[in-house]
Amino acid sequence: MATLAPARETQNAPSLTDERIVYLEGLVSQARTAAAVFTQYTQADVDRIVKAIVLAGLEQAQPLARLAIEETRLGVLEDKYLKNMVATEFVYNYVKDKRTVGTIREFPERGLIEVAEPIGVILSLTPITNPTSTVLFKCIMAVKTRNAVIFSPHPNAWRCCLEAVRIMYEAALKHGAPQGVFTCLESHDLQDNAYLMHHKDVGLIDATGGPGVVKAAYSSGKPALGVGPGNTPVYLEKTADLDMAVVDIITSKTFDNGTICASEQTLVIDDEIHDVVLEKFAGLGCHICNQQEAELLGRTVIDPQTGFMQPMAVGQKATDIARMVGLSVKPKTKLLIAPIQGVGREHPLSVEKLFPVLAVYRAKSVDEALKVCVDVNHAGGLGHTAVIFSRNEEIIRKFADVMNAGRIIVNSPGSIGALGGVYNDMVPTFSFGCGTGGGNSTMDNVNIYHYLNIKRVARRTPAHMWLRIPNQIYFNMNAVENLRQFPSRSTIIVTSAILEQIGHADIVRRHLPPETHVHVLVIPDAEPELKVVMQGVETLNFYKADQIIALGGGSVIDAAKLMKLKYESPDADFDELGAPFLDIRKRVVEYPAKKINQARLIAISTTSGTGSEVTPFAVLTDIERGRKVTLADYSLTPDVAIVDPQFVMSMPKGLTADTGIDCLTHALEVYVSIYASPYTDANAIQAAQMAFHYLPLAYENPGDEEARTMMHNAACIAAIAFANASVGVNHALAHAFGARFHVAHGRANALMLPHVIAYNASVPSKFMPSPNQRTYVADKKYATLADLLGLGGHTREEKVNNLVAAIEGVLDRLNFPRSIAELGISKEDFERAMPELSKLAFEDPSARTNPRMPLMSEVVELYWSAYHGRGVAQAAGASQHQTV
Ligand SMILES: [Fe+2]
């Protein structure tokens, strides 16, 4: 608290005698027993005792103040009395309604409760400057938190502290506190403290005192609350209420003769008001030193060897200090004010002075004033207190920014202000934490919460889920007719050359309201490049489009999503928006909310697979960097989706198979995703059933309108699910493999699918963290699906095997290659690609929602299984581990 060198910090103290050890052990044993008994007390018990000891302390506030003055010869009786009142009444006012026993706080909406646990035995070191008030304060904190305290007062203040402890202890006992709850060392030395600080039964050291004591506490290896010294700068800025400031500073700096370490040490005054301020100080009984007097003062009250204040001056009156120094001052002089020209060793008065001597600095500018305040703050007062008087909010905030202080006191006295509760709403304390700058464990006003172990009981809180899809989805044959209900001045149809050639764009055009101006923008039918997107944006701008119709497969729809994003928000940065994330609700980047244009996006899918017409995803190919960026945000979801099978009737067989198996993979993956919900399950199951039945039919009989319709709907239904719960490792494997070996997405999925189902149905070597899943359910869900598909089987294993076999059956009917080897990729090439493949697959966002966490090694195994292919159902039955 003060940079004094207390007597107990003498070196070479004799070792403890056996007798002394017995005495100290007795204190600890008593405290330990008291603490154990205390744990059984209720909040009502504790509150009753707290009130009783507060009243006892209040009643004895004046006698204790007198005792402190008599013993320490520091300070002012009236102020010590006031401190004792603050330490009891104000502290009580703060703690009385606080819960400190059992459950102390509840946050039901967050599933959190906080439970208080006492520390046990606290060793409390108290200072010479505020001896009895600190004891009263700590007794109240200890009872409120059900802790026992062994007090170790400053050796030159032990009698008054002993009396304060006695008063509190007797009142506590009378109202039911455990025997031994407070004890106090009588005359003692450094060895006693060292012994107690290292005692196994002492749970916390609360050291308020000189730096030596604080350092010893922190060095003990015990949890410690130690508070550092101060050196409070006070900036008197020209807009301040000068009369108030002068009175406040005098009040504060003379309070208990300046012994509170938060009191003002160096006053920095703006040039413009400097003279008038000093006149005001002089008019109120302060002595303004001339240069010579200031130098004399500095040489006398500051030790030239150490640069610290002289103990003999601490807590003395201004007139006594003047006499000590040999200054001639008026009889009732309150404060000695001494000009300084800088901060540091060559300006002795710029350090902490716990007596009524205030250094004053004339600053030519705000910047200079702030710099000097920072210098004072750094000259021994880091983390402690700083004071400003100003009406300029900007300067007050700047001051708060540049000061390293736990208490920035504004337009009020530093010392009493820092105590809290009198001039402001800070927590009342007699222990000022100085943060790491002051080498302390806290920067708070130390309070009851520092005397508790607070346990957090955190309940499992399932993540909120959602189902977000386009506002309107129109499906079945001729659903395109619904375009009539969307008025538009200027519509751009984004499509591919082939779809335009076969007349699909014309069908769309025909169904638009007749007054609509329509422009057809033909783009390549491949995953969109930035260049294509930007050209599209130019077209949208040129025609001032208010409606975009994406007519095509996934790539075309993705391109239109990106064009819309960039058209509406030109500042959107695809690179940044494509940043990886774990949870879409917590991700780092935000999609632009500001739009300079607005266009409705209607997506008409012409394949039955990707479901891009209802998803929030868009893949962008970055040619320059040779990579793909997946953008995901619900703002990308089209406003309207049209799922009209007339646009897929002419789909080639290969495309039907590739996109159809993509749809089946979506359904099977989202069904077991860690984000799966009953909402997505319903869609996943429905889509899977439809795809199992109708995909082979649509493939084998391309003209089968029912099969085409059902597959088109199935793709959209599966996408509704995976737009909200994502997919899994199958997609992760397929993305990396497809990109590396130029294999169509659906085909790549097909190669992995049986292997991934078998993998997900086996006991995970590593579970995926997932608050929404109660247990591992992938295998159970697959078995349920097998039942729904009527695949037979008695045990879960049999059902899963039958599901895998059914998938293999579908793949065979679609004439898919059943191994990567069949694609003509050599083992050597595959092996060479494996490090990169497994890395990319592992990093793929799809893998993060897989029900089991795919280990790197497992990703490699899965790839090799897919390479060799076939026979998964049998393997799953024979050796794919046991199912859960
Ligand atoms: Fe897919």
Side-chain angles (χ1 to χ4, degrees):
M1 199 158 188
T3 46
L4 280 173
R8 64 180 148 192
E9 289 173 32
T10 49
Q11 298 298 310
N12 308 318
S15 309
L16 290 174
T17 61
D18 289 349
E19 197 185 355
R20 192 68 182 167
I21 290 172
V22 169
Y23 166 69
L24 294 175
E25 284 293 336
L27 290 184
V28 176
S29 159
Q30 226 179 334
R32 190 182 55 217
T33 308
V37 174
F38 225 167
T39 60
Q40 304 305 307
Y41 282 43
T42 65
Q43 187 74 58
D45 295 336
V46 160
D47 290 346
R48 187 185 64 244
I49 303 167
V50 166
K51 188 171 179 183
I53 62 172
V54 166
L55 287 172
L58 268 173
E59 199 175 314
Q60 296 297 318
Q62 214 217 98
L64 286 174
R66 194 174 294 280
L67 274 182
I69 292 278
E70 283 170 8
E71 186 179 4
T72 66
R73 305 278 163 200
L74 309 182
V76 179
L77 176 66
E78 293 81 356
D79 293 338
K80 292 245 183 271
Y81 172 52
L82 195 62
K83 281 201 243 184
N84 288 342
M85 302 281 284
V86 170
T88 47
E89 182 178 292
F90 279 64
V91 171
Y92 179 69
N93 188 58
Y94 171 73
V95 304
K96 65 177 178 184
D97 297 323
K98 304 274 186 303
R99 289 201 59 83
T100 49
V101 176
T103 298
I104 58 169
R105 278 188 290 238
E106 296 192 49
F107 308 93
E109 70 287 357
R110 292 163 57 202
L112 268 184
I113 61 173
E114 292 179 350
V115 179
E117 186 178 75
I119 285 164
V121 177
I122 296 173
L123 173 65
S124 178
L125 291 89
T126 57
I128 187 171
T129 46
N130 307 303
T132 56
S133 48
T134 306
V135 167
L136 299 179
F137 165 65
K138 291 186 177 182
C139 284
I140 296 166
M141 289 217 300
V143 169
K144 184 73 185 179
T145 51
R146 299 182 297 166
N147 289 301
V149 184
I150 302 170
F151 283 98
S152 169
H154 189 282
N156 297 338
W158 72 269
R159 287 185 182 84
C160 61
C161 288
L162 189 65
E163 180 60 5
V165 172
R166 187 193 64 75
I167 289 163
M168 298 304 256
Y169 182 50
E170 284 182 3
L173 274 192
K174 200 168 152 193
H175 289 83
Q179 291 273 349
V181 67
F182 306 136
T183 49
C184 184
L185 284 172
E186 297 180 15
S187 178
H188 60 281
D189 59 27
L190 187 65
Q191 295 296 315
D192 291 333
N193 280 344
Y195 187 84
L196 292 172
M197 281 183 184
H198 290 89
H199 199 289
K200 68 175 175 42
D201 291 334
V202 169
L204 174 77
I205 303 164
D206 180 10
T208 312
V213 168
V214 172
K215 193 173 171 199
Y218 282 122
S219 307
S220 70
K222 288 267 178 205
L225 287 170
V227 297
N231 191 19
T232 302
V234 47
Y235 178 24
L236 183 39
E237 195 266 336
K238 57 181 171 292
T239 63
D241 178 335
L242 301 185
D243 289 322
M244 183 182 82
V246 168
V247 169
D248 279 358
I249 293 167
I250 296 172
T251 305
S252 180
K253 185 63 186 167
T254 61
F255 186 69
D256 205 21
N257 283 343
T259 51
I260 292 188
C261 49
S263 61
E264 295 78 354
Q265 304 300 334
T266 295
L267 172 62
V268 179
I269 309 177
D270 273 346
D271 188 43
E272 299 91 325
I273 55 167
H274 177 268
D275 294 347
V276 66
V277 166
L278 289 193
E279 273 169 34
K280 285 177 191 290
F281 272 112
L284 290 170
C286 301
H287 177 81
I288 315 296
C289 298
N290 60 31
Q291 202 58 42
Q292 206 179 357
E293 288 174 326
E295 278 165 23
L296 184 60
L297 191 61
R299 277 202 303 277
T300 319
V301 296
I302 305 299
D303 184 334
Q305 302 298 317
T306 63
F308 293 126
M309 63 186 140
Q310 293 282 15
M312 64 179 180
V314 170
Q316 305 307 310
K317 285 190 211 144
T319 45
D320 289 342
I321 292 172
R323 194 175 313 115
M324 230 182 269
V325 176
L327 297 184
S328 171
V329 299
K330 287 181 186 161
K332 290 191 176 171
T333 295
K334 297 183 178 74
L335 188 59
L336 306 178
I337 296 180
I340 56 172
Q341 279 69 47
V343 177
R345 281 304 287 269
E346 58 280 22
H347 307 281
L349 289 172
S350 63
V351 299
E352 185 184 38
K353 308 166 287 295
L354 295 181
F355 39 82
V357 170
L358 180 67
V360 63
Y361 184 93
R362 182 176 196 141
K364 299 282 185 298
S365 66
V366 173
D367 285 347
E368 186 190 354
L370 292 176
K371 185 188 173 304
V372 173
C373 287
V374 168
D375 290 345
V376 173
N377 184 221
H378 281 251
L382 275 182
H384 207 295
T385 303
V387 182
I388 182 169
F389 288 90
S390 172
R391 288 187 176 109
N392 184 323
E393 188 58 27
E394 202 182 316
I395 293 177
I396 293 171
R397 284 176 190 266
K398 196 163 182 194
F399 183 79
D401 272 352
V402 298
M403 285 299 137
N404 181 341
R407 286 140 293 275
I408 314 273
I409 307 294
V410 181
N411 293 327
S412 37
S415 58
I416 313 170
L419 287 179
V422 185
Y423 278 85
N424 53 51
D425 201 29
M426 282 200 303
V427 177
T429 192
F430 278 79
S431 193
F432 307 115
C434 294
T436 54
N440 300 165
S441 58
T442 176
M443 207 182 217
D444 290 345
N445 276 8
V446 172
N447 61 71
I448 45 174
Y449 297 111
H450 297 102
Y451 269 28
L452 286 172
N453 288 315
I454 296 175
K455 304 178 281 193
R456 265 106 197 163
V457 182
R459 289 174 204 286
R460 185 185 187 110
T461 48
H464 299 167
M465 299 305 293
W466 58 83
L467 191 79
R468 297 180 68 174
I469 51 176
N471 248 339
Q472 303 170 49
I473 302 173
Y474 299 96
F475 52 91
N476 286 351
M477 194 58 83
N478 295 321
V480 72
E481 287 175 9
N482 288 282
L483 282 176
R484 288 218 170 81
Q485 58 183 301
F486 299 105
S488 158
R489 280 176 290 98
S490 172
T491 292
I492 307 296
I493 300 175
V494 182
T495 192
S496 64
I498 180 75
L499 294 174
E500 205 211 4
Q501 274 166 29
I502 62 175
H504 281 2
D506 284 339
I507 298 173
V508 169
R509 190 196 290 266
R510 269 206 308 281
H511 288 96
L512 287 167
E515 65 277 11
T516 315
H517 176 272
V518 180
H519 175 81
V520 177
L521 172 66
V522 172
I523 62 168
D525 189 12
E527 279 174 350
E529 295 170 34
L530 187 59
K531 194 174 66 183
V532 171
V533 173
M534 294 317 293
Q535 283 165 357
V537 174
E538 266 178 46
T539 307
L540 293 172
N541 275 317
F542 182 81
Y543 289 102
K544 294 191 169 44
D546 59 6
Q547 180 162 278
I548 307 163
I549 297 181
L551 174 69
S555 306
V556 168
I557 297 176
D558 282 6
K561 288 176 180 174
L562 299 172
M563 287 173 196
K564 173 178 150 89
L565 172 62
K566 201 75 182 164
Y567 173 58
E568 293 183 336
S569 309
D571 293 337
D573 177 347
F574 288 150
D575 248 2
E576 187 186 306
L577 296 179
F581 61 87
L582 187 58
D583 183 333
I584 198 163
R585 292 159 297 191
K586 293 174 182 166
R587 67 156 162 219
V588 180
V589 298
E590 281 177 30
Y591 275 65
K594 210 175 121 204
K595 295 177 178 179
I596 62 160
N597 295 308
Q598 204 123 23
R600 181 190 300 124
L601 175 59
I602 300 177
I604 304 175
S605 48
T606 60
T607 58
S608 306
T610 68
S612 182
E613 68 275 11
V614 292
T615 70
F617 311 119
V619 178
L620 178 73
T621 302
D622 185 343
I623 295 274
E624 272 175 34
R625 296 191 211 175
R627 60 174 193 164
K628 289 180 182 174
V629 182
T630 300
L631 286 93
D633 191 77
Y634 287 97
S635 64
L636 295 174
T637 306
D639 303 292
V640 179
I642 293 180
V643 188
D644 186 337
Q646 70 174 295
F647 296 107
V648 293
M649 292 304 295
S650 54
M651 221 187 346
K653 280 186 94 166
L655 192 57
T656 301
D658 283 351
T659 53
I661 210 70
D662 188 27
C663 155
L664 181 61
T665 311
H666 294 156
L668 292 171
E669 288 222 278
V670 67
Y671 184 47
V672 297
S673 151
I674 59 163
Y675 286 146
S677 70
Y679 292 79
T680 56
D681 283 357
N683 287 282
I685 290 171
Q686 185 64 42
Q689 285 179 300
M690 290 162 78
F692 265 109
H693 185 68
Y694 289 104
L695 176 54
L697 299 181
Y699 175 77
E700 286 156 6
N701 305 296
D704 182 339
E705 194 176 307
E706 188 194 355
R708 288 292 200 188
T709 302
M710 294 305 252
M711 270 315 294
H712 210 34
N713 286 332
C716 183
I717 293 167
I720 287 172
F722 89 79
N724 293 282
S726 192
V727 281
V729 71
N730 200 104
H731 267 75
L733 297 167
H735 286 153
F737 170 72
R740 174 71 176 74
F741 291 101
H742 309 291
V743 176
H745 175 63
R747 193 154 290 243
N749 270 331
L751 287 161
M752 314 295 165
L753 192 55
H755 309 275
V756 168
I757 302 290
Y759 167 77
N760 279 342
S762 57
V763 178
S765 39
K766 197 167 177 62
F767 290 101
M768 188 70 86
S770 163
N772 284 12
Q773 307 291 345
R774 283 168 179 270
T775 181
Y776 195 72
V777 291
D779 56 333
K780 299 181 188 78
K781 289 180 106 174
Y782 288 146
T784 303
L785 184 60
D787 285 341
L788 290 170
L789 291 168
L791 299 178
H794 297 290
T795 64
R796 200 179 296 153
E797 288 87 340
E798 282 174 16
K799 291 174 184 182
V800 171
N801 290 344
N802 291 345
L803 179 66
V804 174
I807 293 166
E808 292 182 319
V810 170
L811 296 176
D812 286 339
R813 277 179 73 180
L814 301 179
N815 298 313
F816 269 114
R818 294 294 312 291
S819 71
I820 293 173
E822 279 177 52
L823 299 180
I825 296 167
S826 75
K827 209 171 172 183
E828 291 69 31
D829 281 351
F830 198 57
E831 193 146 24
R832 246 192 315 278
M834 190 55 75
E836 183 66 6
L837 282 183
S838 51
K839 177 180 164 290
L840 289 175
F842 183 77
E843 288 172 357
D844 193 289
S846 306
R848 288 199 291 274
T849 44
N850 197 63
R852 59 183 285 189
M853 186 178 282
L855 301 175
M856 282 282 208
S857 58
E858 292 171 347
V859 167
V860 173
E861 276 177 40
L862 280 166
Y863 268 132
W864 280 115
S865 301
Y867 185 86
H868 297 297
R870 293 211 174 261
V872 179
Q874 289 73 22
S879 64
Q880 278 286 328
H881 333 291
Q882 324 135 264
T883 47
V884 180

